[in-house]
């Protein structure tokens, strides 16, 4: 009887231990299932949000045709924030191209301060956000330049676009906002340009410029003549219109 009682007790304890382990395993499975479901739901929500944002961006640029009223700088700024929020070079290259064209088009507007993209740099509430945004945009321009080949016609057009973006926002001489009464803003705007150039330089802009411009100029002097003048000469970097582009890099 004593042996049978000990055996029954051992069996009971063993069963209790197995049941406890099974409950722990079940809880772990449930926890893992919840984590997996959370990741799946998160992925689906992000994917849906990205689709909606990209659809909104596409609708914005679709409506922004040459015959339509020019969009305000604030509208362009907001759509650029959305694009940069989810930007992927391979997937959003056409959207980025349209964004750059829209920005440059706004800078060409006559006597429309609210349209000039650079006017947001004068906004007390948006200055820092604008500077951060234009830094990101210009660096993406540099990344695209590294991938483009000037001997290809379509690429040469994009190269012109991205180089124009770099020239436009690192040199205040073409900013219409600084004409007339806006001349008093020039020192502050020059400081912003220097800040932008410092950011690009820290991320390797000079090496991008040399790696891109020199081989491209040698290969495509006839196809893309303006590119030759983008090659750094001596110490300063000079661009296609012959203007000095900040002596920020010295050998």
């Amino acid at each position: 009887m004593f042996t049978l009682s000990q055996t029954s007790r051992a069996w009971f304890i063993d069963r209790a231990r197995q049941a406890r382990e099974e409950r722990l395993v079940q809880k772990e499975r449930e926890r893992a299932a919840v984590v997996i479901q959370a990741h799946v739901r998160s992925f689906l929500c992000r994917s849906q949000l990205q689709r909606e944002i990209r659809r909104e961006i596409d609708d914005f640029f679709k409506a922004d045709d040459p015959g339509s009223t020019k969009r305000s700088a604030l509208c362009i700024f907001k759509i650029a924030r959305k694009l940069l929020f989810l930007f992927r070079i391979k997937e959003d290259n056409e959207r980025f191209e349209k964004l750059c064209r829209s920005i440059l088009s706004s800078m060409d507007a006559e006597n429309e301060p609210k349209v000039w993209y650079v006017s947001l740099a004068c906004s007390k509430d948006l200055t820092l956000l604008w500077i951060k945004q234009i830094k990101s945009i210009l660096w993406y321009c540099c990344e695209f330049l590294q991938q483009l080949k000037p001997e290809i016609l379509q690429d040469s057009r994009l190269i012109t676009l991205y180089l124009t973006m770099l020239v436009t926002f690192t040199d205040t001489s073409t900013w219409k906002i600084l004409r007339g009464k806006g001349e008093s803003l020039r020192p502050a705007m020059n400081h912003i340009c220097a800040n932008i150039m410092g950011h690009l330089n820290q991320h390797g802009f000079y090496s991008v410029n040399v790696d891109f411009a020199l081989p491209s100029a040698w290969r495509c002097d006839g196809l893309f003549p303006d590119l030759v003048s983008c090659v750094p000469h001596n110490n300063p970097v000079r661009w296609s219109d012959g203007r000095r582009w900040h002596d920020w890099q010295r050998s």
Side-chain angles (χ1 to χ4, degrees), residues 40 53 60 86 129 161 214 225 236:
V40 171
I53 293 176
F60 177 88
L86 47 72
L129 291 174
L161 173 65
L214 286 174

Side-chain angles (χ1 to χ4, degrees), residues 4-240:
L4 182 59
S5 176
Q6 281 187 331
T7 303
S8 298
R9 185 170 179 274
W11 176 82
F12 178 78
I13 293 173
D14 187 60
R15 287 295 302 271
R17 179 183 59 77
Q18 291 179 2
R20 184 169 60 253
E21 291 177 352
E22 288 176 359
R23 288 195 298 271
L24 290 174
V25 170
Q26 183 62 27
K27 287 182 179 180
E28 187 64 23
R29 287 176 178 171
E30 292 175 356
R31 189 194 68 80
V34 170
V35 170
I36 293 172
Q37 290 173 359
H39 281 295
V40 171
R41 285 196 297 269
S42 175
F43 171 78
L44 294 176
C45 288
R46 288 198 308 273
S47 299
Q48 181 179 357
L49 176 62
Q50 290 173 359
R51 284 196 299 272
E52 292 175 355
I53 293 176
R54 286 191 171 96
R55 189 179 304 116
E56 180 181 352
I57 294 170
D58 291 339
D59 291 340
F60 177 88
F61 290 125
K62 190 179 298 182
D64 193 24
D65 54 61
S68 63
T69 305
K70 287 186 177 294
R71 304 296 184 93
S72 69
L74 186 58
C75 289
I76 297 175
F77 174 79
K78 289 179 177 179
I79 208 70
R81 289 194 75 185
K82 292 181 179 181
L83 178 58
L84 294 176
F85 171 71
L86 47 72
F87 185 75
R88 294 179 181 175
I89 285 185
K90 292 184 178 180
E91 188 171 353
D92 298 309
N93 57 340
E94 292 185 6
R95 296 182 181 91
F96 185 77
E97 175 190 348
K98 292 177 181 178
L99 173 64
C100 291
R101 295 192 186 282
S102 181
I103 289 173
L104 292 176
S105 176
S106 77
M107 295 293 288
D108 289 334
E110 292 292 341
N111 301 319
E112 296 183 77
K114 292 185 178 180
V115 174
W116 299 330
Y117 177 70
V118 76
S119 66
L120 297 179
C122 303
S123 172
K124 180 176 61 176
D125 298 328
L126 296 176
T127 300
L128 295 179
L129 291 174
W130 182 86
I131 292 174
K132 180 180 179 181
Q133 182 176 103
I134 194 62
K135 285 178 179 178
S136 297
I137 291 174
L138 294 183
W139 181 245
Y140 280 130
C141 288
C142 292
E143 290 191 349
F144 276 112
L145 285 174
Q146 289 181 297
Q147 301 176 9
L148 297 172
K149 299 179 179 179
E151 61 268 24
I152 300 176
L153 179 60
Q154 181 61 30
D155 282 8
S156 68
R157 293 172 180 171
L158 293 176
I159 289 170
T160 301
L161 173 65
Y162 298 140
L163 289 180
T164 304
M165 282 290 294
L166 288 166
V167 170
T168 300
F169 291 101
T170 53
D171 184 357
T172 61
S173 62
T174 60
W175 294 5
K176 296 177 181 178
I177 195 173
L178 300 181
R179 297 176 181 175
K181 296 180 180 179
E183 184 65 30
S184 60
L185 297 172
R186 189 174 296 277
M189 295 303 176
N190 284 336
H191 182 72
I192 289 176
C193 281
N195 184 292
I196 293 172
M197 282 301 304
H199 172 80
L200 295 177
N201 191 28
Q202 285 180 349
H203 284 73
F205 169 75
Y206 188 70
S207 61
V208 170
N209 182 48
V210 172
D211 292 344
F212 163 76
L214 286 174
S216 299
W218 293 334
R219 289 197 308 266
C220 305
D221 192 5
L223 290 174
F224 202 57
D226 290 341
L227 191 61
V228 177
S229 53
C230 298
V231 180
H233 295 292
N234 300 324
N235 291 334
V237 178
R238 299 179 184 272
W239 290 90
S240 57

